[in-house]
């Protein structure tokens, strides 16, 4: 559930807002002149959202890389090339 608070109410209600978000796992949107400017969300919710966003970006990058690549290398081929380039045996 998302609650809306006017920015003018923040000074007197900040502690209560933080407590509500933390205890009830809710989100609060803070408005100024009737327009949303800030959201207060539980920290875990933010971390999950950022991780999901990162996963989505990584998936898109991987999809683009796969689509633009016409050849793939096996693990063994990569190790062999590494060994030859560095004159080592891994």
């Amino acid at each position: 559930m998302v609650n809306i608070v006017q920015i003018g109410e923040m000074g007197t209600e900040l502690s209560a807002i933080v407590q509500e978000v933390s205890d009830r796992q809710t989100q609060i949107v803070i408005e100024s002149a009737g327009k949303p400017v800030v959201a207060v969300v539980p920290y875990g919710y933010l971390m999950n959202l950022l991780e999901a966003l990162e996963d989505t970006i990584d998936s898109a990058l991987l999809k683009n890389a796969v689509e633009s690549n016409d050849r793939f290398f096996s693990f063994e081929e990569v190790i062999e090339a590494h060994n030859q380039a560095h004159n080592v045996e891994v």
Side-chain angles (χ1 to χ4, degrees), residues 3 7 10 16 38 66 74 79:
N3 296 325
I7 199 163
M10 284 298 297
V38 174
V66 168
S74 70
I79 294 298

Side-chain angles (χ1 to χ4, degrees), residues 6-87:
Q6 296 301 315
I7 199 163
E9 299 172 23
M10 284 298 297
T12 59
E13 295 190 28
L14 181 58
S15 181
I17 288 170
V18 170
Q19 193 69 41
E20 179 181 346
V21 169
S22 176
D23 291 349
R24 301 172 103 194
Q25 296 298 299
T26 187
Q27 300 95 37
I28 295 180
V29 173
I30 300 165
E31 293 184 343
S32 178
K35 296 184 181 182
V37 292
V38 174
V40 181
V41 299
Y43 182 77
Y45 177 86
L46 175 63
M47 291 296 99
N48 289 338
L49 185 62
L50 292 174
E51 186 174 329
L53 178 60
E54 183 179 344
D55 290 348
T56 300
I57 292 168
D58 289 346
S59 294
L61 291 172
L62 178 60
K63 181 180 177 189
N64 289 340
V66 168
E67 289 174 352
S68 67
N69 192 352
D70 60 349
R71 179 147 192 312
F72 291 92
F73 300 93
S74 70
F75 180 73
E76 290 78 15
E77 290 173 309
V78 171
I79 294 298
E80 183 180 337
H82 173 270
N83 289 346
Q84 289 177 358
H86 299 283
N87 198 25

